[in-house]
Amino acid sequence: MKALVLEEYKKLVYKDVPDPVIASNEVLVRVKACGICGSDVHGFDGSTGRRIPPVIMGHEASGIIVRTGADVRNWKEGDRVTFDSTVYQLDDWFTLQGKYNLSENREVLGVSPGTYRRNGAFAEYVAIPQHILYRIPDSVSYEKAAMVEAIAVALHAVNLSGIKPGQSCLVAGAGMIGVFIIRILHLSGASKIIALDISKSHLSNAEKSGADLALNPGEGNVIEKIMEFTGNRGADISFEAVGIGETVNLAVDSVIKGGTVVLVGNVSPKIDFPLQKVVTRELRIQGSCAIRGEYEAVLEMIERGKIKVDDQISKVAPLSEGALWFDKLYYKKEDLNKVILVP
Ligand SMILES: [Zn+2]
């Protein structure tokens, strides 16, 4: 099959590789669409250490089943599917507690952090265990289904925040995940949504998605403006969707005493942590990792038109042009939201 292989850092090659071999509990999926994730772009240069070459990246995908292993039940050739980005063990202790996203020895599709290498969906075919498959409703396109993973990450973070209608929220970082957090907060009845980002286009995207106030932390004192907007107390809940020290600090500084900070971004392995502010203001710090079964809800939200997705797809391009699109995203040559590659 053809695949887009990360042969060395910053070097993607579209080439022939052997077809994946499926285990008895797996299906072979002919990939129809696979989105380029921010984590792929950050992994591409080696900075995150999670895409050690050679590896086929790609974990935001959809396709059609073309073969099933001997032990596969409930799935057949021709089924339109999307799948979890996390491949987890069914007999793991955490999985049995309903927390498969925290299970031991889980693997992420298209990731190779050194302890494993799991090829992903920037390829014509990918092998997927049956227990992480989700059926795509007939009216949802493969391209839209490739957006489900990003929205599910956002929904998981909002679910963990415990938001109640009427609460005020801040989202630091209005990239893809941040924008979907804003859309879901809007659906959840947030009274006020504040977005922070240094990119003009991200801020206007945030406003179109339901943010009431969109601020650039590079321009003036944003904390002052946030306090003014929230009755001088701060937002009830802040979400951090970048993963660097500056934005974590903004998320902490802009939340109300006793409030909740949900950390989603994790580009930096370590940051300077504002310990005294967190302790003396009794903040609740909540990490949010990947997804825990939110796929079905998101597919239904898309099917029923509750959440808009197509406006976030900037480009659908052939997989053979993958290197070119990674280049544009990495060097920020164009203002792009999601780029979807089609094998
Ligand atoms: Zn992703």
Side-chain angles (χ1 to χ4, degrees):
M1 67 169 179
K2 290 281 188 205
L4 186 69
V5 183
L6 183 69
E7 289 205 324
E8 50 188 86
Y9 289 129
K10 297 192 194 178
K11 188 181 172 204
L12 282 163
V13 182
Y14 181 69
K15 60 185 251 189
D16 285 307
V17 299
D19 284 4
V21 178
I22 56 168
S24 63
N25 69 329
E26 291 183 333
V27 303
L28 190 68
V29 174
R30 169 121 177 77
V31 179
K32 292 287 193 175
C34 184
I36 302 178
C37 178
S39 65
D40 294 326
V41 180
H42 292 301
F44 162 79
D45 70 352
S47 59
T48 63
R50 290 182 55 78
R51 302 291 191 281
I52 299 171
V55 65
I56 300 168
M57 301 190 284
H59 57 268
E60 303 181 349
S62 62
I64 186 166
I65 295 176
V66 292
R67 196 180 307 149
T68 56
D71 298 329
V72 170
R73 304 280 173 265
N74 305 322
W75 300 97
K76 58 176 194 316
E77 247 176 72
D79 283 346
R80 299 169 76 241
V81 292
T82 183
F83 34 84
D84 207 308
S85 48
T86 302
V87 180
Y88 53 92
Q89 302 301 316
L90 287 170
D91 60 355
D92 176 85
W93 189 87
F94 289 96
T95 301
L96 295 171
Q97 308 302 312
K99 296 181 177 177
Y100 74 78
N101 60 326
L102 307 179
S103 61
E104 303 295 341
N105 304 316
R106 66 190 187 282
E107 298 183 351
V108 182
L109 279 175
V111 167
S112 73
T115 45
Y116 67 86
R117 170 175 291 116
R118 182 103 199 178
N119 280 331
F122 289 136
E124 282 182 286
Y125 297 98
V126 62
I128 303 291
Q130 59 179 337
H131 66 273
I132 68 166
L133 292 168
Y134 293 92
R135 210 172 295 283
I136 304 174
D138 290 344
S139 64
V140 176
S141 67
Y142 288 115
E143 288 81 9
K144 282 188 189 174
M147 299 291 285
V148 171
E149 204 260 354
I151 306 169
V153 167
L155 180 58
H156 183 58
V158 174
N159 282 340
L160 284 178
S161 76
I163 184 181
K164 296 187 199 76
Q167 290 191 306
S168 56
C169 296
L170 175 131
V171 180
M176 187 64 44
I177 302 294
V179 155
F180 284 119
I181 289 175
I182 290 169
R183 289 183 183 195
I184 295 165
L185 289 174
H186 196 64
L187 289 171
S188 307
S191 60
K192 288 172 186 166
I193 303 171
I194 306 161
L196 301 181
D197 204 291
I198 49 170
S199 148
K200 222 177 176 177
S201 66
H202 283 184
L203 288 174
S204 83
N205 200 5
E207 278 177 324
K208 275 185 252 160
S209 302
D212 302 286
L213 183 65
L215 301 171
N216 182 340
E219 294 169 0
N221 188 336
V222 286
I223 298 299
E224 216 165 76
K225 290 177 196 159
I226 293 162
M227 288 301 156
E228 205 172 291
F229 196 64
T230 55
N232 284 316
R233 294 196 197 104
D236 293 306
I237 303 168
S238 65
F239 294 83
E240 202 283 345
V242 184
I244 58 171
E246 288 95 318
T247 37
V248 172
N249 275 283
L250 283 169
V252 166
D253 288 344
S254 54
V255 83
I256 193 169
K257 287 181 196 176
T260 296
V261 180
V262 182
L263 302 178
V264 188
N266 63 118
V267 171
S268 310
K270 286 181 183 176
I271 56 157
D272 262 333
F273 188 75
L275 177 67
Q276 291 185 338
K277 280 182 190 166
V278 170
V279 173
T280 59
R281 298 170 65 231
E282 277 194 351
L283 303 186
R284 182 165 75 99
I285 305 292
Q286 172 71 59
S288 179
C289 175
I291 295 155
R292 186 145 77 217
E294 286 86 358
Y295 279 79
E296 275 186 358
V298 171
L299 282 162
E300 198 165 4
M301 285 160 83
I302 295 174
E303 183 189 19
R304 301 176 69 84
K306 303 281 181 188
I307 194 156
K308 206 171 161 192
V309 286
D310 17 0
D311 66 327
Q312 298 304 305
I313 301 172
S314 300
K315 180 76 191 176
V316 177
L319 182 63
S320 56
E321 290 178 9
L324 173 87
W325 290 97
F326 262 84
D327 199 60
K328 287 184 201 260
L329 287 162
Y330 185 74
Y331 294 103
K332 299 189 168 65
K333 290 181 178 167
E334 281 174 41
D335 240 335
L336 294 164
N337 291 324
K338 186 62 73 188
V339 174
I340 291 178
L341 299 177
V342 177

